[in-house]
Amino acid sequence: MSGRLPRPLVVPAVLGLVFLVLPLAGLLIRAPWSTLPARLAEPQVLQALRLSLVTATVATAICLLLGVPLAWLLARTAFPGRRLLRALVTVPLVLPPVVGGVALLLVLGRRGLVGSWLDQTFGVTLPFTTAGVVIAEAFVAMPFLVISVEGALRGADRRFEEAAATLGASRWTVFRRVTLPLITPGVLAGAVLCWARALGEFGATITFAGNFPGTTQTMPLAVYLALETEPEAAVVLSLVLLAVSVIILASLRERWVGGA
Amino acid sequence: MNPPVILSARLVVDRPAFRLDIDLQAGAGEVVALLGPNGAGKTTALRALAGLIALSDGQITLDGRLLHTLPPENRPIGVVFQDYLLFPHLSALDNVAFGPRCQGASKAEARRAAAELLARVGLAERASAKPRQLSGGQAQRVALARALAVRPRLLLLDEPLAALDAHTRLETRSRLRRHLADFDGATILVTHDPLEAMVLADRLVVIENGAVVQQGSPAEIARRPRTDYVARLVGLNLYRGAAEGTRVKVGELLMHTAEPIDGPAFVAFSPAAVALYRSRPDGSPRNLWQGAIEGVERHGDNVRVHLRGPLPVVADVTPAAVAELDLSPGRQVWASVKAAETHAYPA
Amino acid sequence: MSRRLLRWALALPVLLALVPGCGAGEPGAASTASAPAAGGNAQKLTVFAAASLTGAFTELGKTFKDAHPGVTVEFNFGSSATLAQQIVQGAPADVFAAASPATMKTVTDAALAGAPATFARNKLQIAVPAGNPAEVGELEDLADAKVKVALCAAQVPCGAAAVKALEAAGLKVTPVTLEQDVKATLTKVELGEVDAALVYATDVIASGGKVTGIDFPEADQAINDYPIAALTGAPAGSTARQFVDLVLSARGKDVLTRAGFQVP
């Protein structure tokens, strides 16, 4: 405790912090505080904020539902091509989101591979709908969850799973009652990353789901368009998004840490 | 008067640079200890019995049913793991109730059964504690209760006392002994501690390098070790030689023994039976040889002296004798052992 | 592998600091960096231009280079509003060609450019996907609820023009999306996600036949003027003025017309 902090760690750490925090400071300093209340009261702002929170949350739920089993598959099974599959999972991380949006259109769009079938069979089209926003966000955010959960699974002590098996637990029961509780911290961390990424999603969303207030215009889209004409409004919107996400994440963390 | 054999197994597990190949039987209510040095394959055998690793060859039958074809969750087994592996997110009660739940009991039923078992191991009042709030001894008892809760026919214990400190171990061991006595299935206990094996087991199976080197009752094994490892475990000097009547040729030396025997034989005697002298003793005992002191160490109330020479030997002498004889390393001394104190048996 | 990545990540800020111009703070950086080339008059000309000018200006850039050996022309194509912001924040630009007078005004208001000249006009067209599945023929068809329409957001020039045209026609159109720029709007048509969109005639030409453009009379009410100006304090100095002259010349007009612009 009394040992001196190693300088090779502290100096870059401080630089890193400054690097991350300074742009935020820029936003705060340049924020038009006097007009802030009026801007916040605009119905469009609240509408976009609500849509952002709802879609990011639903997208995170979908990512959990699909991503945790996928992470399990990657971490716990051996099959030919697993490495390739693992690389493919990270594709949305590497792909520019706009390209991801175009790719989604090509598959799920009205004339897309799956989309045309959906349209003809069920009369369902996903682009320009709130569901489309959720899909775009889930597509971009899922790798964060999968990678985080896969890491947790690899780090978990498998002997607990063996112990459960000797007690008569089927593989599904083992997963549900032993593995999942053991990796809960990893799953939560992944979900937070996933949610944050979904909340800030712009490129894939505007490309796949378009931009229409109330249905598909999330906060990042509102921010971008505000930037075209009213940079000040964009700053306000960014701050609102930032404040809301920080408050939500901090309060959730409080609850999780308190409960653990 | 032997109990009916309910477990009969030939376990073969091939690993790079290692092969386990052992036969194993256990009767109803019998406790069999697998004893052996680290890396001998004890735990591998246990995991094979539990189904956690696949057999390369052989088979396992329990109560007349083939066991090795079943996945672990379908085997009627209970396992107490070395560090217990209690589920950290579940209370002691829910840990014990886990097995019954998996076997289809309702939550209430499973908890009732678990509470009963916890009471039996004397932990009724710790039911709601999480594993990290339990002491080592308590955790061991919860692990035992959890293993017994599935009503196994085969109980597997992997170094059940190794994680405990010396004081707790004594008490936990006697508790474990009582619980094992009540258990009507077969028990396989893996340990590297001979004392633990002797106290808990009805029969010992000694494994070295993946193969059984000796088995029998603790008394038999203690009296007639067949390998250096076992001899060291039970604290005897052991030599192998060729016997002719009451004489056994061990290397260059001719040992005189009490029991007549012919052919390949073991000669064993206790370190306490060895007498040491500065100069060649008078009256010339029949087993006498010279050796250099290699090391001297405390051993209980006595001093243990290691001798190098034609017959490497361990001798236990009193501290007074050490002072009197000036037994410092490197010194040449005479050692003798009475024929009546040796024990010869066929190799 | 990750360790190597980390090393690169650590090195990146250092590398960036070493690359001239990435500092972006000093407007003089660009010209000083390009000064020492052969002949003494070697120069770099940086043109910030609206994305819709990409084709035409790239061609004019080549023409300019041929006429001015030793001068390299660099383009920064993007949304006019974004470009204007960058210029106001001190980006080292010599010439600014905007897709609307409003965005140019941002720059002239900051006293960063002299009086701009209008060099091109762009007119809206109805763009429909190949085959025109919704059988759109005139502007009125866009008001049909069954026809999926994409418009540019009102905040960007093509969106403002669309609003004007629709107002002039007295039509109320509910689009499924308000896209962030004209290219994004066009993409939705190209992929067939929408049945029609209002985009510039130049964009229809640039799409290379993937969409069909339909003229409509109300487009004349929403003509978009493209102003150009050499920036005061342009690092390239008089060369900037020469590029503006080329754009306004007959040769410039020819290139712009072929790209679908109307020229004054």
Side-chain angles (χ1 to χ4, degrees), chain A residues 159-160 162 165 168-169 177 181, chain B residues 47 73 77 83 86-89:
Chain A
R159 295 178 311 149
F160 286 109
E162 293 181 345
R177 294 204 52 207
Chain B
R47 290 172 61 80
E73 61 264 32
I77 52 168
D83 31 16
L86 296 178
F87 304 129
H89 57 287

Side-chain angles (χ1 to χ4, degrees), chain A residues 163-168, chain B residues 75-81 84-87 92-100 103 113-114 117-118 120-121 139-158 160 176 179-180 183 186-188:
Chain A
T166 66
L167 292 168
Chain B
R75 298 186 184 193
I77 52 168
V79 186
V80 175
F81 292 89
Y84 318 133
L85 299 178
L86 296 178
F87 304 129
L93 185 75
D94 286 334
N95 261 283
V96 180
F98 188 94
Q103 291 179 338
L117 269 162
L118 277 182
R120 237 167 73 197
V121 298
Q140 198 269 356
R141 280 142 70 191
V142 173
L144 180 66
R146 184 175 74 171
L148 290 173
V150 295
R151 303 180 178 282
R153 292 296 294 153
L154 174 61
L155 184 62
L156 302 170
L157 307 169
D158 190 3
L176 180 59
H179 289 300
L180 292 181
F183 178 61
T187 302
I188 305 288

Side-chain angles (χ1 to χ4, degrees), chain B residues 319-331:
Chain B
V322 174
E324 194 184 315
L325 296 170
D326 184 21
L327 297 178
S328 48
R331 176 175 286 281

Side-chain angles (χ1 to χ4, degrees), chain A residues 13-38:
Chain A
V14 170
L15 279 176
L17 189 68
V18 169
F19 176 60
L20 290 177
V21 170
L22 224 48
L24 175 63
L27 279 181
L28 286 172
I29 291 164
R30 286 296 170 87
W33 295 106
S34 54
T35 59
L36 195 105

